[in-house]
Amino acid sequence: MEPQAKRRKEMDKCDTWDVLPVLSDEKSRDTELLPAYAAPIIEKRETSRLVKELSLIYPLPGLQHIKRVRACKDKSSPHPLEVIVCLARDVAKGVMPADLLRSQSFDSSGLGEPFLVEIPANPPLTRPQFEKASKHWPTSFHEDKQVTSALRGQLFTADQKAKMQDYMTAAVQAAKSGREMGMDAVGAVIVDPESEQIVAVGHDCKRGAQPLHHAVMVCIDLVACGQGGGAYNYEKYPACQFSSSDFFRNGCNSKETGQPYICTGYDLYVTREPCVMCAMALVHSRINRVFYGAPSADGALGTKYKIHCQKDLNHRFEVFKAVMLNACEALHKK
């Protein structure tokens, strides 16, 4: 097969899976709504005064994202504008909506009768949140276009996805090698995105003498090994390798290569979502990005926890899931 035709075929395969971002709870939560009272503005020229006075009488603390005035949804209405009067929780018990404005010491002659609405409780952080919020009441929105592109599956080009497939395929092959040796079928590779080279390949080894040797831990240790460190020897596991020529010549006794601290600037591809131990190891090794295939019930990068989103950690990284999802899930099917 011609190289170009082969590449096109590989790109076609990439269309069967998506690269989905694993966002923080704040960015992925559903739109929470608060009940509030609004009223039609009968006299449009009174809008500025009404908004100013209502803001003094009924401030909306913590709701700076809410636009106090909106265009009337009913295009046939004689009143083109509507304004938020107050939150429903701020209305004293026993006060009827019709009495909300009459009991206040300001001129409400420019307003109609209040009615109940629902408004977004939190500022939208993503395009989907903004679109849902806007169906209820207008809000301000400062868009992160990279997040929007990621959610639409447009952050990575076809060529980039083809590369991702190459990397994850290497991780899948490593997982199969581990399974043949009686290990859990989990494989991982660490990639230098600048050179587009795989720098370490590892699989699960925890059923041997070291119960902590998950595939991710093995890969991190192999990178450290190639930098003159590392704690373990993987001669019994030929599929677990570091790509440095110094590593193959001298093993873990290789001299310092001058590379940055462990995984700084590197990407990880792993067939199954990492656990808490592995996720924290990725924090400490300064990984750049993580791409995983299948979720795990105890996964720490999206399923059970989101370690990468913890604001009190001294390093954070981006996480993407569902890379070659079917192939990665198939590793665990009997």
Side-chain angles (χ1 to χ4, degrees):
M1 183 181 292
E2 293 295 328
Q4 186 173 1
K6 183 178 180 181
R7 195 62 173 170
R8 190 182 303 113
K9 185 177 180 180
E10 291 300 315
M11 289 182 182
D12 289 341
K13 290 181 182 178
C14 294
D15 291 336
T16 62
W17 50 268
D18 295 311
V19 189
L20 304 175
V22 180
L23 303 177
S24 65
D25 289 340
E26 291 80 7
K27 290 182 178 179
S28 55
R29 66 188 171 193
D30 202 1
T31 301
E32 181 183 350
L33 301 173
L34 290 174
Y37 284 102
I41 297 177
I42 299 172
E43 295 291 340
K44 190 175 181 179
R45 60 188 177 185
E46 295 289 321
T47 300
S48 180
R49 176 187 67 81
L50 290 168
V51 169
K52 184 177 180 180
E53 294 187 12
L54 282 171
S55 296
L56 292 173
I57 298 167
Y58 289 121
L60 303 176
L63 297 173
Q64 292 85 354
H65 59 285
I66 294 293
K67 296 184 178 180
R68 195 102 193 195
V69 177
R70 76 174 180 185
C72 183
K73 288 187 174 183
D74 183 0
K75 301 302 181 183
S76 63
S77 171
H79 314 302
L81 299 176
E82 297 171 343
V83 63
I84 298 240
V85 175
C86 65
L87 296 178
R89 67 189 182 199
D90 294 335
V91 179
K93 188 175 182 180
V95 175
M96 300 298 291
D99 298 327
L100 273 176
L101 302 174
R102 298 191 184 103
S103 63
Q104 300 299 333
S105 57
F106 85 106
D107 181 7
S108 61
S109 57
L111 291 176
E113 293 296 321
F115 57 93
L116 200 60
V117 296
E118 290 184 311
I119 63 175
N122 302 296
L125 303 176
T126 65
R127 171 62 59 175
Q129 287 180 342
F130 174 65
E131 291 173 352
K132 287 184 179 180
S134 298
K135 292 179 180 178
H136 297 277
W137 197 273
T139 71
S140 59
F141 175 50
H142 304 289
E143 184 171 21
D144 184 331
K145 293 186 177 179
Q146 178 170 312
V147 171
T148 299
S149 295
L151 289 170
R152 290 175 176 172
Q154 299 172 346
L155 183 60
F156 301 103
T157 66
D159 283 333
Q160 288 172 324
K161 282 190 68 178
K163 274 289 182 184
M164 290 177 191
Q165 180 151 313
D166 291 342
Y167 303 143
M168 191 60 84
T169 297
V172 169
Q173 292 303 318
K176 291 178 179 179
S177 296
R179 183 171 58 192
E180 290 173 0
M181 300 185 71
M183 308 297 172
D184 286 349
V186 182
V189 302
I190 289 179
V191 176
D192 180 352
E194 289 191 9
S195 65
E196 298 184 340
Q197 297 296 311
I198 293 176
V199 296
V201 180
H203 58 68
D204 179 88
C205 298
K206 64 178 180 288
R207 295 192 180 184
Q210 297 295 335
L212 301 183
H213 275 185
H214 295 200
V216 171
M217 302 293 285
V218 169
C219 265
I220 293 173
D221 192 54
L222 283 167
V223 174
C225 188
Q227 295 174 356
Y232 302 99
N233 187 295
Y234 300 95
E235 289 182 356
K236 294 190 299 183
Y237 310 106
C240 298
Q241 299 178 346
F242 185 78
S243 64
S244 166
S245 58
D246 285 343
F247 175 83
F248 288 119
R249 271 200 309 271
N250 306 314
C252 290
N253 295 318
S254 61
K255 295 181 180 179
E256 180 63 44
T257 61
Q259 292 174 314
Y261 179 73
I262 311 184
C263 296
T264 301
Y266 288 166
D267 294 340
L268 170 78
Y269 290 79
V270 58
T271 59
R272 188 166 67 189
E273 181 184 358
C275 64
V276 172
M277 176 185 70
C278 292
M280 285 305 301
L282 291 167
V283 171
H284 292 303
S285 63
R286 302 295 189 271
I287 200 71
N288 179 42
R289 295 180 298 183
V290 173
F291 299 84
Y292 69 83
S296 174
D298 293 323
L301 296 182
T303 300
K304 191 170 184 178
Y305 305 104
K306 293 182 179 179
I307 296 294
H308 63 296
C309 296
Q310 297 298 314
K311 295 179 181 178
D312 54 345
L313 295 179
N314 62 358
H315 176 73
R316 289 189 292 277
F317 48 87
E318 294 180 299
V319 176
F320 299 88
K321 63 181 180 179
V323 177
M324 289 182 62
L325 176 60
N326 292 339
C328 292
E329 286 184 331
L331 290 169
H332 309 287
K333 293 179 180 177
K334 294 182 180 180

